[in-house]
Amino acid sequence: MILWLWLCWGFSTSAGQPDSELMARYLEEELMADYSIMEQVARRVPRQAKFLQRLETRPRMSEFTVRSTIISRYAFTTVSCTMVNSGSEAREAVFEMQIPAAAFISNFTMSIGNKTYYGEITGKEKKHSSDDKARDKKPLSPTDGRENGYETFKASVFIPRKMQAKFLLHYEELLQRRLGKYEYTVSIRPQQLVGRLRVEVNILENSGIVSLEVPPLRNSKHKGNGKVEGDVSPPPSTVVGHTKTLAKVTFNPSVVEQTRIARNGILGDFIIRYDVKRELSVGDVQILNGYFVHYFAPTDLPPLPKNVVFVLDSSASMVGTKLKQTKEALFTILQDLRPEDHFNIIGFSNRIKVWQQDQLVPVTPNNIRDAKKYIHNLSPTGGTNINGALQTGAKLLNDYIAQNDIDARTVSLIIFLTDGRPTVGETQSSKILSNTKDAIRDKFCLFTIGIGNDVDQKLLERMALENCGMTRHFQEDEDAASHLKGFYDEIGTPLLSDIRVDYPEDNVEQVTKNFFPNYFNGSEIIIAGKLINRTSDSLHVEVTASNSKKYILLKTDVAIDLPSRNDIRGVPGLEDGKGDKNYIERAWSYLTIKELLNSRLKSDDNQEKDYLTEKAKSMALTYNFVTPFTVLKMREAGLHSEPPQEDFISPSTNGIGEKLQSLQGHKAPPGIHRQQDKQRIKISKTSADGDPHFVIDFPSSKFSVCFNIDGEPGDILRLVSDHKESGVTVNGKLIGAPAPPNGHKKHRTYFSTITILSNKPERSYLEITPKRIILDDGERLLLSCDRSAVVRSSSLEVSISANSNITVTIRDTISFVILIHHYKKPAPYQRDHLGFYISNSKGLSSDSHGLLGQFLNHEVKLLQESLNISRQQVGQNQTEALKPNPTNTLKVKGRLVPVVWKQRRIYNGQQEVDCWFAKNNADKLIDGSYKDYLASHPFDTGTSFGTINNV
């Protein structure tokens, strides 16, 4: 019979059908039914299937399902696996699952025949006994086999004949943002073809999902990039659907599709990458049931200059692939350095070799070329002097910072790479750690990279943790160069330094880490905490940071009691939850435990270590997490207990009187601090607002003058021109709108853009619209008008009160205030627009000009002979005294200007101003005609009529 079966297979193969695919089709047709053995154990199966069963010594996997829900970056994952023993005797089954090393296992249950075992998480004691081993199973290994950022969960059991075993594993993780994307990964390595295989991932991001992608399966042994070059299509059978805030991704390959991917059942890693919408603001603050989580990842920031020292292991153990891959990665990294960066390279073995002695060099083509030559000539030899190399690198960077008056807002760092353990010089890890910390002295950060299996990764991890850096461990494989380059890309573009996030002390408690030395492009800062005063209607948030030459303050009030826009109840795919898992509370506990573990790793004090251990253990037990200080033990549930169900326990938001909040720091909640912000503004009446109405205040004369400019849409008006003296110019661009019904105007115009230019002490400009602000002082910064913020440099400060106003202060002697006018339901003749007010003009020269600027240092006289009132009455600007003689004359620079008495509303209509109105586009009041004040473009700094200059 064996000979006959092989002949059949040989015939089919010769006919053009591959034997593996033939078997796969057979399995798909026959074994799908056979895998339901618990329903029809005595069912007859074909002889071929019986033959396959005799050849097969292990139970078959009939089902492998992964279901995950990701809510605001926090992922709940459930893995369900069913194995069938169709043999005539008990057989061992091994359930094995690779999970991210950063994840916490939260539950594990298994059912073997008619017995159910549930996982119980208990505190780990110093000594363990073997009394708690579950019957008919080997010890459970929830963290066995750490591999390049992943750990292998393994459980082995014996399945009685003609029975099945079912495994349910739950784990949770907070997704980390790297290179501008969140990456969620599911390992699909069942080691055999599976009759029913399905992965389902549901994503809910209230901020809005962008850049969702599902790349090909990653099937390298060491998590390398296993895709074919140029292939970016999702795995076969993948279905992706999403709306603005929801996404559902499924992967459901048939047995035939599985065998086309991998005949051995090791399909690889199923990966989902995505990002969320974000702007420069305090970030995304979410509040639920007394807990909050705060995500901060600003965009549109110019990169900070960096000073970097590369410290590279060139010892004998680096021979071959490791050194070759390192060189290839460094060649690419050097090309990515920016012109404003400075760098140096140190190669070390038992000797320390510095490329450029006692200095960091600027990034120039010649220096990059010479650096590549130096790296190319590195040869593997000698031992590994880790301590000496780090001391040399730290001294080099410290001396450079001290001797060159380095700007405090640059970022300095060491990137250290090795493949081994210290063998030369200081070899004791504790001494190396203390020496490194003493040398760096919190002045810069250390980033460490370990390659291969012989590296002391714990030493590298602790060195990075103690010196505000990060660490990575890569295997020696074909993707080492791309891994190294990828890690550099994560830290190669610093955007902010000295980031601090503050909340009112009387409103919050148990807040996770809130100070961060650096923020790198594509990453994310996450803070979480508990609310003390849950009756408060808002949570005040302030973020302070430095960006190159600017200091940035972002602030907002996040409403707590407003109805939710992100309640997950009723969301498809999330509505079948049985538990009451507050995902924000669990994100807080996840972050807190991680920080306790890191603090313990950094500590040298045994008493402190014991305290941190107990605190982390207590929290892990409260939230049912498997950590280094807790262990998962299996207990038998009883003979008549129900087998574990496949129902996914999704998070719910059931609570009394509270709903999920997700306000992104934008859209200042109505009624919160809006009026207070406006009341704090101190500005004069001198302004250009409305469509547009100009007001000039003359404090010494104790009266005001006003006029209109009937410009055309698209006109750019010079408001203040003092480029030659103070270096300041202000231009305003008009936008058109239809005239109101029965009005005398053919159309209305408003200021849609205000441009403020300054060239002293250095060139900078601001371009302001009702929605956004562009600040460019050699580095471009984009700010939103619906988020409160403060940006400060040595000579310029911009303060934004959300949806209200912008205050611009130049050298502390010139201040302008721009009011923002928004219409919720604008009439046809209304447009969102700006109002321009002069708050402080002390720094403007007596030669300043423009429609407003020409009056700042000149007085206007009201001729007394044309009035039947006393000067005292004029000075007091008494309305009743002015009304009998509404027509009068002003004397301006020798010109007589007829004026009439009027009232104007300013400050968004909140204040009424009495003024003398000059008709006909301010004829005779202003120098020349209004057309002489038209600029050719927003950046025109011309100060005399007919003259055009550019900044």
Side-chain angles (χ1 to χ4, degrees):
M1 172 162 178
I2 296 175
L3 178 62
W4 176 82
L5 188 59
W6 276 105
L7 286 175
C8 288
W9 283 350
F11 175 79
S12 300
T13 303
S14 64
Q17 178 79 341
D19 54 345
S20 61
E21 189 165 330
L22 174 66
M23 291 181 66
R25 291 186 182 279
Y26 175 79
L27 286 171
E28 184 172 28
E29 295 169 1
E30 297 292 339
L31 298 187
M32 283 289 290
D34 189 35
Y35 283 155
S36 301
I37 194 168
M38 301 309 295
E39 298 176 5
Q40 298 182 6
V41 174
R43 183 182 61 82
R44 292 190 51 146
V45 296
R47 292 180 179 179
Q48 294 91 335
K50 290 182 178 180
F51 174 70
L52 290 174
Q53 291 170 3
R54 286 196 298 270
L55 290 179
E56 179 63 71
T57 60
R58 58 180 177 174
R60 295 194 184 93
M61 189 178 295
S62 66
E63 169 262 345
F64 181 86
T65 303
V66 179
R67 193 170 180 204
S68 174
T69 296
I70 303 170
I71 307 178
S72 295
R73 297 81 149 170
Y74 196 79
F76 298 84
T77 301
T78 299
V79 181
S80 172
C81 175
T82 303
M83 293 186 179
V84 176
N85 178 12
S86 56
S88 58
E89 58 185 18
R91 290 174 178 169
E92 183 183 29
V94 179
F95 169 65
E96 188 172 311
M97 182 71 187
Q98 288 188 2
I99 65 174
F104 286 148
I105 293 171
S106 57
N107 200 0
F108 178 65
T109 309
M110 57 186 182
S111 174
I112 308 166
N114 60 354
K115 294 182 180 180
T116 298
Y117 301 88
Y118 65 92
E120 180 181 340
I121 296 178
T122 62
K124 186 181 291 185
E125 304 297 335
K126 292 183 178 179
K127 294 183 179 180
H128 302 283
S129 66
S130 56
D131 299 336
D132 293 326
K133 290 184 179 179
R135 210 175 310 169
D136 296 326
K137 74 177 184 71
K138 293 182 179 179
L140 195 66
S141 302
T143 57
D144 181 37
R146 180 183 290 268
E147 182 184 320
N148 198 30
Y150 289 81
E151 292 176 345
T152 302
F153 177 93
K154 184 183 293 186
S156 60
V157 299
F158 279 91
I159 306 177
R161 60 185 294 273
K162 306 297 181 182
M163 288 192 178
Q164 71 176 8
K166 186 167 186 177
F167 306 90
L168 278 180
L169 175 67
H170 300 264
Y171 63 89
E172 301 173 21
E173 61 181 312
L174 184 60
L175 302 185
Q176 301 298 307
R177 188 171 184 256
R178 294 178 180 171
L179 301 176
K181 295 286 183 68
Y182 303 100
E183 182 173 291
Y184 176 77
T185 302
V186 174
S187 176
I188 308 175
R189 290 171 167 79
Q191 311 293 325
Q192 57 181 288
L193 301 177
V194 183
R196 293 188 295 272
L197 191 155
R198 179 178 175 85
V199 176
E200 179 182 320
V201 181
N202 295 282
I203 305 172
L204 171 62
E205 294 286 354
N206 188 69
S207 303
I209 299 172
V210 297
S211 305
L212 179 67
E213 62 181 40
V214 183
L217 290 171
R218 184 171 60 192
N219 53 24
S220 169
K221 178 181 178 181
H222 299 298
K223 310 296 180 189
N225 186 354
K227 68 181 181 181
V228 179
E229 188 67 28
D231 181 16
V232 294
S233 58
S237 79
T238 300
V239 178
V240 180
H242 70 93
T243 62
K244 182 180 178 181
T245 58
L246 286 169
K248 182 175 183 179
V249 180
T250 58
F251 174 58
N252 189 22
S254 64
V255 177
V256 174
E257 289 170 322
Q258 293 174 47
T259 195
R260 289 173 179 169
I261 298 171
R263 299 180 182 181
N264 59 1
I266 303 177
L267 275 65
D269 296 325
F270 184 76
I271 303 168
I272 299 173
R273 297 190 186 106
Y274 73 94
D275 198 15
V276 299
K277 292 182 179 179
R278 65 184 85 244
E279 295 180 27
L280 179 59
S281 69
V282 298
D284 184 1
V285 182
Q286 302 187 18
I287 301 171
L288 176 63
N289 292 347
Y291 292 85
F292 75 89
V293 63
H294 183 180
Y295 302 99
F296 179 65
T299 58
D300 297 315
L301 291 169
L304 291 167
K306 60 182 178 290
N307 312 304
V308 56
V309 176
F310 299 96
V311 183
L312 310 175
D313 189 345
S314 59
S315 62
S317 59
M318 287 286 288
V319 68
T321 303
K322 284 184 280 190
L323 188 57
K324 179 184 176 183
Q325 295 286 330
T326 299
K327 289 181 178 182
E328 289 179 4
L330 262 293
F331 290 158
T332 306
I333 289 170
L334 289 175
Q335 289 299 131
D336 289 346
L337 292 174
R338 295 181 178 84
E340 62 270 19
D341 296 338
H342 291 75
F343 74 106
N344 203 341
I345 303 168
I346 297 174
F348 75 95
S349 53
N350 55 326
R351 295 168 50 200
I352 313 298
K353 295 162 285 187
V354 181
W355 171 49
Q356 296 288 336
Q357 289 293 333
D358 303 325
Q359 64 175 324
L360 269 67
V361 299
V363 176
T364 64
N366 288 342
N367 284 338
I368 296 297
R369 179 199 62 203
D370 294 344
K372 288 183 177 179
K373 288 181 181 178
Y374 174 80
I375 293 171
H376 176 75
N377 292 329
L378 287 176
S379 57
T381 182
T384 308
N385 189 352
I386 290 178
N387 184 72
L390 286 171
Q391 292 298 303
T392 303
K395 184 178 185 304
L396 186 67
L397 202 47
N398 274 317
D399 291 347
Y400 178 77
I401 293 171
Q403 296 170 9
N404 292 272
D405 191 26
I406 299 302
D407 193 316
R409 294 183 183 123
T410 63
V411 171
S412 299
L413 50 95
I414 292 178
I415 298 178
F416 177 83
L417 181 146
T418 185
D419 75 324
R421 299 170 182 270
T423 60
V424 176
E426 181 59 67
T427 59
Q428 190 174 342
S429 293
S430 60
K431 290 285 186 64
I432 295 174
L433 288 167
S434 62
N435 290 344
T436 302
K437 191 173 181 64
D438 290 342
I440 292 177
R441 303 194 300 273
D442 296 325
K443 289 188 176 181
F444 46 85
C445 297
L446 171 64
F447 297 85
T448 60
I449 303 170
I451 301 180
N453 295 321
D454 299 327
V455 70
D456 188 348
Q457 191 57 35
K458 287 187 177 180
L459 173 63
L460 297 187
E461 181 179 8
R462 184 166 173 183
M463 280 198 302
L465 279 175
E466 289 185 351
N467 298 283
C468 70
M470 297 185 292
T471 188
R472 291 287 184 274
H473 181 214
F474 304 129
Q475 297 295 332
E476 181 186 358
D477 64 6
E478 69 279 4
D479 293 310
S482 62
H483 285 317
L484 292 173
K485 178 60 171 59
F487 180 57
Y488 173 79
D489 288 343
E490 289 186 46
I491 62 176
T493 308
L495 299 183
L496 293 172
S497 61
D498 300 330
I499 305 101
R500 182 178 181 86
V501 185
D502 290 306
Y503 315 89
E505 293 184 357
D506 57 347
N507 276 12
V508 299
E509 65 179 353
Q510 299 185 42
V511 177
T512 58
K513 177 181 175 183
N514 70 331
F515 177 79
F516 305 85
N518 298 301
Y519 166 72
F520 297 99
N521 187 39
S523 65
E524 185 170 56
I525 288 172
I526 308 176
I527 309 103
K530 297 175 65 176
L531 298 179
I532 298 176
N533 184 8
R534 296 175 62 172
T535 61
S536 175
D537 61 352
S538 68
L539 174 65
H540 186 71
V541 183
E542 288 191 0
V543 180
T544 57
S546 296
N547 169 256
S548 187
K549 300 175 182 179
K550 292 181 282 291
Y551 164 86
I552 298 174
L553 169 63
L554 307 171
K555 54 186 177 179
T556 196
D557 291 277
V558 181
I560 294 176
D561 59 348
L562 294 180
S564 170
R565 297 186 297 114
N566 193 26
D567 197 327
I568 65 172
R569 287 175 290 185
V571 175
L574 310 180
E575 71 282 350
D576 58 347
K578 294 182 178 180
D580 184 17
K581 293 192 175 183
N582 180 346
Y583 74 91
I584 293 180
E585 180 181 357
R586 296 191 73 80
W588 166 77
S589 66
Y590 176 97
L591 282 173
T592 302
I593 293 172
K594 289 288 185 183
E595 290 185 4
L596 290 170
L597 297 178
N598 287 338
S599 297
R600 184 186 182 278
L601 180 62
K602 293 189 293 183
S603 176
D604 291 320
D605 184 275
N606 289 332
Q607 187 174 357
E608 183 185 25
K609 277 191 171 185
D610 290 342
Y611 168 76
L612 293 170
T613 299
E614 290 304 315
K615 192 171 182 180
K617 183 194 297 185
S618 174
M619 182 166 284
L621 292 175
T622 300
Y623 290 94
N624 219 52
F625 285 147
V626 177
T627 69
F629 308 119
T630 53
V631 65
L632 182 65
K633 295 183 178 181
M634 302 306 296
R635 308 288 187 189
E636 186 173 350
L639 295 177
H640 302 290
S641 60
E642 292 293 326
Q645 299 298 310
E646 297 181 27
D647 293 342
F648 177 69
I649 302 179
S650 64
S652 74
T653 58
N654 293 326
I656 300 175
E658 293 193 67
K659 294 185 178 180
L660 175 63
Q661 310 296 323
S662 179
L663 300 180
Q664 304 163 42
H666 61 84
K667 313 285 187 187
I672 299 179
H673 295 300
R674 288 292 302 278
Q675 296 298 324
Q676 296 177 9
D677 288 339
K678 289 184 178 180
Q679 292 171 3
R680 286 196 296 264
I681 303 168
K682 294 181 180 179
I683 56 179
S684 73
K685 302 171 186 176
T686 302
S687 59
D689 206 344
D691 62 342
H693 302 314
F694 290 75
V695 176
I696 313 293
D697 189 34
F698 296 98
S700 60
S701 300
K702 298 184 180 180
F703 65 81
S704 300
V705 177
C706 51
F707 60 92
N708 294 345
I709 293 293
D710 296 327
E712 296 293 328
D715 282 353
I716 300 171
L717 306 182
R718 290 193 182 98
L719 303 179
V720 176
S721 298
D722 196 27
H723 181 71
K724 289 183 178 180
E725 300 299 329
S726 67
V728 174
T729 301
V730 182
N731 296 327
K733 185 177 181 179
L734 298 178
I735 187 175
N742 304 319
H744 64 280
K745 294 184 178 180
K746 59 180 180 180
H747 57 248
R748 280 188 167 187
T749 54
Y750 304 92
F751 284 119
S752 63
T753 306
I754 299 290
T755 306
I756 302 173
L757 307 103
S758 174
N759 70 339
K760 293 181 181 181
E762 56 191 10
R763 174 195 175 279
S764 61
Y765 77 82
L766 279 160
E767 189 175 81
I768 303 169
T769 71
K771 291 186 177 180
R772 57 106 181 103
I773 302 167
I774 297 175
L775 169 59
D776 193 326
D777 56 358
E779 295 172 340
R780 185 181 175 92
L781 181 65
L782 182 65
L783 301 160
S784 176
C785 290
D786 59 1
R787 292 156 171 82
S788 296
V790 177
V791 179
R792 186 179 301 130
S793 65
S794 58
S795 60
L796 179 68
E797 179 179 309
V798 180
S799 177
I800 306 170
S801 178
N803 290 322
S804 178
N805 59 76
I806 301 108
T807 302
V808 179
T809 304
I810 302 171
R811 299 188 296 275
D812 295 325
T813 59
I814 303 171
S815 296
F816 305 125
V817 176
I818 295 89
L819 296 189
I820 303 170
H821 300 280
H822 281 299
Y823 297 96
K824 291 183 178 179
K825 297 180 180 180
Y829 52 86
Q830 292 175 326
R831 295 287 185 271
D832 288 349
H833 64 280
L834 303 172
F836 176 75
Y837 292 76
I838 297 177
S839 176
N840 183 2
S841 61
K842 291 180 181 178
L844 295 172
S845 74
S846 58
D847 294 329
S848 62
H849 212 268
L851 288 169
L852 294 175
Q854 64 185 296
F855 300 105
L856 296 177
N857 293 289
H858 294 279
E859 285 300 319
V860 176
K861 292 184 178 180
L862 185 63
L863 299 183
Q864 295 304 305
E865 57 269 22
S866 61
L867 295 172
N868 294 327
I869 57 176
S870 69
R871 179 172 179 83
Q872 182 179 5
Q873 289 174 312
V874 175
Q876 293 176 349
N877 201 16
Q878 294 188 12
T879 302
E880 295 303 321
L882 293 174
K883 284 184 178 180
N885 293 281
T887 302
N888 294 278
T889 304
L890 294 177
K891 188 174 182 180
V892 182
K893 298 179 182 180
R895 301 186 298 267
L896 298 179
V897 185
V899 292
V900 297
W901 179 86
K902 269 198 172 185
Q903 286 186 324
R904 281 280 166 82
R905 290 187 177 275
I906 57 174
Y907 307 155
N908 225 357
Q910 294 182 1
Q911 182 172 339
E912 200 171 69
V913 176
D914 297 324
C915 62
W916 294 105
F917 178 74
K919 300 180 179 179
N920 302 323
N921 282 326
D923 184 35
K924 297 182 182 180
L925 177 68
I926 59 175
D927 296 335
S929 68
Y930 90 92
K931 290 187 177 180
D932 295 322
Y933 295 85
L934 296 181
S936 61
H937 54 79
F939 305 100
D940 181 0
T941 60
T943 55
S944 61
F945 304 140
T947 301
I948 296 175
N949 296 320
N950 298 318
V951 173

